[in-house]
Amino acid sequence: MITLASDFPSPYPAAMRGVICARSDARIEDVAHDFPRQDVRAAAFWLREVLPYFPPATHCVVVDPGVGTDRSALVVEAGDHAIVAPDNGVAIPVARELVSGDGDSEAGAGSGGGADDDFDVWEIDYDDAATASNTFHGRDVFAPAAADAHDEGGPAALDRCHRTDEWVDLTFPEPDMVAEGARGEVLVVDGFGNVITNVPGDPIEGCEGIRVDDELIPVRDAYAARDPGDRLVTVGSHGNVELAVNQGRGDEAFDLSAGDDVLLEW
Amino acid sequence: MITLASDFPSPYPAAMRGVICARSDARIEDVAHDFPRQDVRAAAFWLREVLPYFPPATHCVVVDPGVGTDRSALVVEAGDHAIVAPDNGVAIPVARELVSGDGDSEAGAGSGGGADDDFDVWEIDYDDAATASNTFHGRDVFAPAAADAHDEGGPAALDRCHRTDEWVDLTFPEPDMVAEGARGEVLVVDGFGNVITNVPGDPIEGCEGIRVDDELIPVRDAYAARDPGDRLVTVGSHGNVELAVNQGRGDEAFDLSAGDDVLLEW
Amino acid sequence: MITLASDFPSPYPAAMRGVICARSDARIEDVAHDFPRQDVRAAAFWLREVLPYFPPATHCVVVDPGVGTDRSALVVEAGDHAIVAPDNGVAIPVARELVSGDGDSEAGAGSGGGADDDFDVWEIDYDDAATASNTFHGRDVFAPAAADAHDEGGPAALDRCHRTDEWVDLTFPEPDMVAEGARGEVLVVDGFGNVITNVPGDPIEGCEGIRVDDELIPVRDAYAARDPGDRLVTVGSHGNVELAVNQGRGDEAFDLSAGDDVLLEW
């Protein structure tokens, strides 16, 4: 199975799908093609949340603000999964999650994780300027590599891949845990408007309410435990503290966007 | 085959897709993931329109404003189809349609249809709080149940399912047919902006025009029978009276939204 | 394999998918369902760009402002591909591309290409008013024809298809090449906001910059060769001159939309 994830508007993902189908009989499943445009950290977050639910697969990921520069193209082997992606860190948190169940690990900060990480990184040689456009490596580099890595059993079987210890790391910011609270950050806002922070949910289990930027907000297990339009704090399906509105948008009600700081006190 | 329908923004449907692929080799086809948010009636309408075109399948439907409350999770067996869905009525009109070709039937109004309906309703036991998140039953309850029901040949084979006669019904409002007209209601507005009413199309067949809220509007067989930008009344592909604009948005031109009353006179 | 392309909002494509699945075991892959509404030229452009990447397949294309009028329904056989589409020209540029690699050919201008073109055109007889709705031929005419043409090995095997030499042609406007420049036209704007012109990219290869409507703009190989928010000219993955903004929208920065004239001087 090959999965596809990108920030490409239609019909660009279909060109990738065509390239894969022309090279491989692999089943194709979409992860998302509407990741926030060129937002590597948001894509890395969602991949870490979603890909581990799939059976072993080759995941083709293209969120690639550096397309056409000299950034490398990678195949990251993590457990029974392979992630084909640009070398901008987008594949790293999910790779850590797949091998250790700990995508938040700070191992390997900086460029290159090496011995601390249990996944293998391969670089794809695509310097054939005759075949790769400078603006659409999803179609011309990543999709063919994903199809071939899938069909041949991994990057080791591909002449155009070689092992590397040099790659761009990406870790999510850690919250600053303080006495009875945390200074955290908004990692992403989902399509419902739910505000997903980097603060782990454990400390607020059992709380009736917590202060969010100095305002007391009820903590609830489920959106529907509040009236429609009312705000709540919950532990989202990702395990982090989430700020939400039942049947409404938390980002608007809390006036928070990805990257904003948020102070939680319990 | 398993179909997926939800009101989930990307990438949440992919988590469901991963869960299903990890448990089953079933082919997966998407119905929609942009049903109007938490609008159970609109989803029920569209499912009734679309699912009967599929061959026998297990349909996993998650439009679920009550997620995390004590609402039940169901598998509705209707003919050769099974619909896995929350117990909020979303699966009932299509179940009636599948067994009788009459999704508008008023049988079984109120809670529980029982003997009047020819479909069987099973409740999914998911009270294992250790495995189900309170905010994402699509991933944690419905997708696994759909995969298992598909692979095992139906809910009867699943230990965690038991028959029930208690379930939430949903029927669409009936129009008030009056002499030479009908007081109806807008059921849904589609993505083109076409206004789909609950008034059956038969009475206007052959009319040159009808009055819509006191304005005379031409009745036409096809959108293109009017100039671009001009309003028309037609019988939509669902068989009901539809208010439209050729190459434009009927909802804006008629100033009508889902739930609005509309008076049609012919 | 059957591919699906349309300008239909969800869940209408799912009805087509259901119809196909009920008649055929063919794998289904989506091309796009968000082509600009009823914009036949834009769809024809994108199909020409994307479908050639697929292996031989039956492509079901429904961008159909004339639905319900007397426009014909076609199956265009081009090489090992078949394109099932309304007779409005949407399938013609990609058919030329598939047989000759030259989708811009001016052969066959006007109605009917005949001997100049190496593809075959078949008309689908669907005059059974009892089974075809007037507003949703995607579901009632094109999807069944695509499923049957796929399963039977092409339109020749279908009783309801007959060869025709009468069909609507569509060619893209040619740029007016002048000394050291071109008067061109914007063909389409993609979902990133990139402005795709009809001017071939060859003449600007090697230029440092060109004048776009009298303003000098740098020519670059890649979006990321400019700072975020800065404008550039590039040769897009389609081979034409493209006006873009790194991590921004070219259409807004250049104030250009599909159909606008643009003067390029190098």
Side-chain angles (χ1 to χ4, degrees):
Chain A
M1 177 178 297
I2 295 175
T3 78
L4 289 182
S6 77
D7 61 351
F8 291 164
S10 166
Y12 293 116
M16 297 174 61
R17 210 172 276 131
V19 166
I20 291 171
C21 290
R23 300 173 87 102
S24 169
D25 290 329
R27 175 174 174 167
I28 299 175
E29 292 291 339
D30 283 313
V31 171
H33 294 289
D34 55 359
F35 283 139
R37 290 279 158 78
Q38 304 188 308
D39 183 339
V40 172
R41 192 175 83 170
F45 174 82
W46 288 118
L47 294 171
R48 190 191 65 179
E49 294 306 307
V50 170
L51 297 191
Y53 288 100
F54 278 86
T58 302
H59 307 285
C60 186
V61 174
V62 195
V63 176
D64 191 15
V67 62
T69 67
D70 60 1
R71 69 100 186 82
S72 303
L74 304 179
V75 184
V76 180
E77 284 194 302
D80 295 328
H81 296 255
I83 306 151
V84 181
D87 182 22
N88 58 20
V90 71
I92 303 305
V94 63
R96 287 207 177 94
E97 179 76 22
L98 286 166
V99 295
S100 72
D102 178 9
D104 276 321
S105 155
E106 287 188 276
S111 179
D116 291 351
D117 287 308
D118 281 332
F119 52 82
D120 293 328
V121 182
W122 300 73
E123 185 173 339
I124 305 166
D125 177 15
Y126 65 90
D127 66 359
D128 182 359
T131 59
S133 74
N134 282 311
T135 56
F136 196 3
H137 284 186
R139 180 190 70 192
D140 299 333
V141 174
F142 296 105
D148 295 350
H150 176 275
D151 280 15
E152 301 300 327
L158 302 187
D159 283 345
R160 64 186 188 277
C161 287
H162 62 273
R163 281 286 302 275
T164 181
D165 287 330
E166 294 291 316
W167 41 270
V168 176
D169 198 7
L170 186 154
T171 55
F172 299 111
E174 294 288 323
D176 187 12
M177 304 303 289
V178 295
E180 314 207 324
R183 290 179 193 281
E185 185 178 324
V186 177
L187 289 180
V188 293
V189 173
D190 74 13
F192 287 122
N194 298 321
V195 174
I196 301 173
T197 73
N198 64 342
V199 179
D202 301 343
I204 70 164
E205 305 270 10
C207 292
E208 282 247 336
I210 67 170
R211 300 188 77 81
V212 178
D213 288 337
D214 285 330
E215 265 192 294
L216 187 65
I217 309 287
V219 174
R220 294 291 182 268
D221 275 351
Y223 306 124
R226 292 280 283 164
D227 288 333
D230 281 356
R231 295 188 292 177
L232 68 148
V233 175
T234 192
V235 180
S237 55
H238 34 76
N240 286 2
V241 173
E242 183 177 305
L243 312 176
V245 167
N246 184 28
Q247 302 190 30
R249 291 194 67 93
D251 57 343
E252 293 172 5
F254 287 94
D255 192 23
L256 285 170
S257 304
D260 287 351
D261 292 327
V262 61
L263 175 64
L264 307 179
E265 297 166 288
W266 44 77
Chain B
M1 177 177 299
I2 295 174
T3 77
L4 289 182
S6 77
D7 61 351
F8 292 164
S10 166
Y12 293 116
M16 296 173 62
R17 210 172 275 131
V19 165
I20 291 171
C21 289
R23 300 173 88 103
S24 169
D25 291 327
R27 175 175 175 167
I28 300 175
E29 294 290 339
D30 283 314
V31 171
H33 294 290
D34 54 0
F35 283 140
R37 290 279 158 78
Q38 305 187 308
D39 183 339
V40 172
R41 193 176 82 168
F45 174 82
W46 288 119
L47 294 171
R48 189 191 65 177
E49 293 305 306
V50 170
L51 297 191
Y53 288 99
F54 278 86
T58 302
H59 306 284
C60 186
V61 174
V62 195
V63 175
D64 191 17
V67 63
T69 66
D70 59 0
R71 68 97 188 83
S72 302
L74 303 179
V75 184
V76 179
E77 283 194 301
D80 294 327
H81 295 257
I83 306 150
V84 181
D87 182 21
N88 58 21
V90 72
I92 303 305
V94 64
R96 287 207 177 95
E97 178 74 22
L98 286 166
V99 295
S100 71
D102 179 10
D104 276 321
S105 154
E106 288 189 276
S111 180
D116 290 350
D117 288 307
D118 281 332
F119 51 83
D120 292 327
V121 182
W122 300 72
E123 185 174 341
I124 305 167
D125 176 14
Y126 65 91
D127 66 358
D128 181 359
T131 59
S133 74
N134 282 312
T135 56
F136 196 3
H137 284 186
R139 180 190 71 192
D140 298 333
V141 174
F142 296 105
D148 295 350
H150 175 275
D151 281 14
E152 301 301 327
L158 302 187
D159 282 347
R160 64 187 187 278
C161 287
H162 62 273
R163 281 286 303 275
T164 182
D165 287 328
E166 294 291 317
W167 41 270
V168 175
D169 198 6
L170 186 155
T171 55
F172 300 111
E174 293 289 322
D176 187 11
M177 305 304 288
V178 295
E180 314 209 323
R183 290 179 192 282
E185 185 178 325
V186 177
L187 287 180
V188 293
V189 173
D190 75 12
F192 287 120
N194 298 321
V195 175
I196 301 172
T197 74
N198 65 340
V199 179
D202 302 342
I204 70 163
E205 306 269 10
C207 293
E208 283 248 336
I210 67 170
R211 300 189 78 81
V212 178
D213 287 339
D214 285 329
E215 265 192 293
L216 186 66
I217 309 286
V219 174
R220 293 290 181 270
D221 274 350
Y223 305 125
R226 291 282 283 165
D227 288 334
D230 282 356
R231 296 187 291 177
L232 68 149
V233 175
T234 192
V235 179
S237 54
H238 33 75
N240 286 4
V241 174
E242 183 177 305
L243 312 176
V245 167
N246 184 28
Q247 301 191 31
R249 292 194 66 93
D251 57 342
E252 293 172 4
F254 287 94
D255 193 23
L256 286 170
S257 303
D260 286 351
D261 292 327
V262 61
L263 175 64
L264 307 179
E265 297 164 287
W266 43 77
Chain C
M1 177 179 298
I2 295 174
T3 78
L4 289 182
S6 77
D7 62 350
F8 292 163
S10 165
Y12 292 116
M16 295 173 62
R17 210 173 276 130
V19 165
I20 292 172
C21 290
R23 299 173 90 101
S24 170
D25 291 327
R27 176 175 174 168
I28 299 175
E29 292 291 339
D30 283 314
V31 171
H33 293 290
D34 54 0
F35 283 139
R37 290 279 158 78
Q38 306 188 307
D39 183 340
V40 172
R41 194 176 82 168
F45 174 83
W46 287 119
L47 294 171
R48 190 190 64 176
E49 293 306 305
V50 170
L51 297 191
Y53 289 99
F54 279 86
T58 301
H59 307 285
C60 186
V61 173
V62 195
V63 176
D64 191 15
V67 62
T69 66
D70 59 1
R71 68 97 187 84
S72 303
L74 304 179
V75 184
V76 180
E77 283 193 301
D80 295 328
H81 295 255
I83 307 152
V84 182
D87 182 21
N88 57 21
V90 71
I92 303 304
V94 63
R96 288 208 176 94
E97 178 76 22
L98 286 167
V99 294
S100 73
D102 179 10
D104 276 321
S105 154
E106 289 188 275
S111 180
D116 289 351
D117 287 307
D118 281 334
F119 51 82
D120 294 326
V121 182
W122 300 73
E123 186 173 339
I124 305 166
D125 176 15
Y126 65 90
D127 64 0
D128 182 358
T131 59
S133 74
N134 282 312
T135 56
F136 196 3
H137 284 187
R139 180 190 70 193
D140 298 333
V141 174
F142 297 106
D148 295 350
H150 176 276
D151 280 15
E152 302 300 328
L158 302 187
D159 282 345
R160 65 185 186 278
C161 288
H162 62 272
R163 281 286 302 277
T164 181
D165 287 328
E166 295 290 316
W167 40 270
V168 175
D169 198 7
L170 186 154
T171 55
F172 300 111
E174 293 290 321
D176 186 11
M177 304 304 289
V178 295
E180 314 208 324
R183 290 180 192 282
E185 185 177 324
V186 177
L187 288 180
V188 293
V189 173
D190 75 13
F192 287 121
N194 298 321
V195 175
I196 301 173
T197 73
N198 64 341
V199 179
D202 302 343
I204 71 164
E205 305 272 9
C207 293
E208 282 248 335
I210 67 170
R211 300 189 78 81
V212 178
D213 288 339
D214 285 330
E215 264 192 294
L216 186 65
I217 309 287
V219 174
R220 293 291 181 269
D221 275 352
Y223 306 124
R226 292 281 283 163
D227 288 334
D230 282 356
R231 295 188 291 177
L232 68 148
V233 175
T234 193
V235 180
S237 55
H238 34 74
N240 286 2
V241 174
E242 183 176 306
L243 312 176
V245 167
N246 185 27
Q247 301 190 32
R249 291 192 68 93
D251 56 343
E252 293 173 5
F254 287 93
D255 193 22
L256 286 170
S257 303
D260 286 352
D261 293 327
V262 62
L263 175 63
L264 307 179
E265 296 165 288
W266 42 79

